[in-house]
Amino acid sequence: MIELSLTEEQQEIQALARRFAREVIRPAEIALDKMADPETVFDSPIFRKTLKKAYTLGFHKMGIREDLGGLGLDPVTTGLVWEELAVGGVGITATLLAAPVAPLFLSVLASGRTDLIDRFVRPYCEDTGASRISAWGSSEPNIGSDGSNYHDPGVHHETKARKEGTQWVIDGAKSSFVSNGGIADFFLLFCCVDPSKGIPGSGVFLVPYGEGVTRGRALDKIGMRALNQAELAFDRVCIPEDYMIMPPGDSYPMMHNAIKTVGNIGVGYLAVGLLRAAYEEALSYAKERVQWGRPIFEHEAVAFRLFEAFQAIEAARGLLWKASWTLANKFLGDFRLSAAARVFATNMAMKHTVEMVQVLGGYGISKEFTLEKYMRDAKLLQIMDATNEIIALKGAALL
Ligand SMILES: Cc1cc2nc3c(=O)[nH]c(=O)nc-3n(C[C@H](O)[C@H](O)[C@H](O)COP(=O)(O)OP(=O)(O)OC[C@H]3O[C@@H](n4cnc5c(N)ncnc54)[C@H](O)[C@@H]3O)c2cc1C
């Protein structure tokens, strides 16, 4: 039996997210998008206040277990919320999607470690000031798609973790793409321990912001300007030996795929929300704008464009729901489904945001409207966390 109706609890949180997205995220995100210097975005009270409100409502801790202070929501419910938030803006929503990466990882992989849970997970969940933010870093100047290249022993992270007595010493740099890199106060870092094993020679380390860690300037980019991305440098950063959360070795591909399965689904929902925002604005414009004696919606070429966007939204959401349901009901979910859902949703968002700009004609490219912003934002979703080509390559390998 397939049940597609939402529970009362799901409807409530979906409605809360919808209101928050429209009343708080959207105006903030539009204002932040117009700021020319990316550094001013993340220093601005608009960004901080928006994030604080989101933390107060618990949107930063949805997937974390209740007994650790999270909301304990299942992947389908979490997905409903991501979609709604993304309708307001994908930059702020991506900030919230990335912020719990370290606490989530710890709550799954180091759940027995009460010291780490008490120091990093509970305070994160209790935070209503948006002062605790995490980030993950794999990408480096020479390691982009190669982060998923497990097979070439000549390819490894250049950020290194070396054992010295009872500590790990970390040296190296992560590239300017790290989401929340410039504003996070703790990091999950992929660092090479054994270069002879290639990428699987990396372990995953928990690194608090502190002595030896330098956060770079915010990346200046075409879209998702409300998502901070910045490089990170590590100069003899010492952490306790048991801050290695995941050792290097043969389990690396499985762990990496598990992270990507969750990440793919999150990025997919961002794409559906973004496309919905573009579609809804274009549809209402098309019903108002009169040319050739009638609303342009009554010209079939325009109506078909809108109907195709509607199809894409419904199809992408359906696939995402299946991927989310599978993640909730099967250990580690199904990478192929999550990959299919993410690649499809993000490609649809790119394709149809361009089409929605066309519905507005000249007004579509004007910064007085937000359609051009959606089109710029959509491009980043096809690259985020790994490019669609690499996700498809890995999905295809599992067919
Ligand atoms: C919004 C956003 C958020 C991000 N957040 C993070 C983050 O939080 N942490 C982090 O570590 N990184 C993050 N990244 C970085 C992201 O993971 C990389 O940009 C991505 O993995 C691609 O690496 P690259 O940019 O170096 O491109 P390259 O790897 O240099 O790829 C360039 C082109 O070659 C193609 N290509 C490469 N290899 C192959 C192949 N084998 N087959 C087919 N095509 C191939 C790619 O698809 C792409 O089109 C983020 C990126 C974006 C855009």
Side-chain angles (χ1 to χ4, degrees), residues 153-173:
V155 169
H156 56 79
H157 287 111
E158 276 159 26
T159 304
K160 294 205 169 58
R162 215 177 44 258
K163 196 76 177 289
E164 279 186 14
T166 57
Q167 303 187 114
W168 288 102
V169 180
I170 295 181
D171 283 292

Side-chain angles (χ1 to χ4, degrees), residues 48-350:
R48 285 286 161 189
K49 275 188 192 160
T50 307
L51 221 50
K52 271 187 198 174
K53 285 182 191 161
Y55 270 54
T56 309
L57 293 170
F59 291 135
H60 67 305
K61 57 177 180 181
M62 292 189 292
I64 300 175
R65 286 181 0 225
E66 265 183 296
D67 61 314
L68 303 181
L71 299 189
L73 299 182
D74 65 275
V76 176
T77 309
T78 310
L80 295 171
V81 175
W82 290 133
E83 179 186 328
E84 292 305 328
L85 296 181
V87 176
V90 281
I92 300 278
T93 308
T95 307
L96 291 166
L97 192 68
V101 64
L104 254 178
F105 204 86
L106 288 172
S107 66
V108 176
L109 275 180
S111 58
R113 293 281 308 276
T114 45
D115 56 329
L116 294 182
I117 299 288
D118 289 347
R119 177 162 176 208
F120 293 100
V121 182
R122 291 188 196 281
Y124 173 82
C125 290
E126 284 159 14
D127 182 21
T128 51
S131 57
R132 290 177 193 270
I133 297 172
S134 80
W136 69 277
S138 168
S139 306
E140 297 178 353
N142 289 323
I143 299 289
S145 301
D146 264 338
S148 301
N149 177 359
Y150 316 137
H151 312 293
D152 183 348
V155 169
H156 56 79
H157 287 111
E158 276 159 26
T159 304
K160 294 205 169 58
R162 215 177 44 258
K163 196 76 177 289
E164 279 186 14
T166 57
Q167 303 187 114
W168 288 102
V169 180
I170 295 181
D171 283 292
K174 293 295 173 184
S175 71
S176 54
F177 298 119
V178 174
S179 301
N180 293 338
I183 57 172
D185 66 328
F186 57 127
F187 306 92
L188 273 185
L189 275 201
F190 289 65
C191 305
C192 181
V193 177
D194 181 355
S196 71
K197 289 203 168 75
I199 284 289
S202 288
V204 180
F205 295 82
L206 179 65
V207 181
Y209 177 61
E211 204 184 328
V213 181
T214 308
R215 300 182 295 204
R217 284 180 60 78
L219 180 68
D220 199 2
K221 53 195 170 148
I222 61 166
M224 288 174 71
R225 292 179 65 84
L227 168 70
N228 177 284
Q229 289 182 264
E231 66 188 331
L232 296 164
F234 303 90
D235 181 13
R236 273 201 63 80
V237 176
C238 300
I239 54 169
E241 61 182 339
D242 56 2
Y243 278 28
M244 180 166 75
I245 305 302
M246 181 85 201
D250 296 341
S251 52
Y252 187 98
M254 189 192 77
M255 179 270 304
H256 199 237
N257 276 356
I259 297 173
K260 293 280 181 219
T261 298
V262 176
N264 284 341
I265 293 174
V267 173
Y269 283 113
L270 294 184
V272 173
L274 168 69
L275 180 52
R276 245 182 73 200
Y279 160 77
E280 286 168 8
E281 281 182 40
L283 179 64
S284 92
Y285 180 88
K287 289 189 172 177
E288 295 284 319
R289 172 76 170 169
V290 174
Q291 290 296 294
W292 285 47
R294 48 195 161 127
I296 57 170
F297 183 70
E298 291 178 20
H299 301 300
E300 276 180 355
V302 174
F304 281 173
R305 256 201 180 98
L306 287 156
F307 187 60
E308 284 194 4
F310 172 80
Q311 290 171 50
I313 291 164
E314 293 296 320
R317 186 192 294 119
L319 195 43
L320 279 159
W321 278 11
K322 184 168 179 191
S324 302
W325 183 89
T326 308
L327 182 61
N329 289 283
K330 180 174 172 244
F331 181 59
L332 301 182
D334 182 335
F335 182 88
R336 292 167 313 168
L337 266 181
S338 78
R342 173 225 150 110
V343 171
F344 182 73
T346 55
N347 284 345
M348 288 298 106
M350 187 72 255

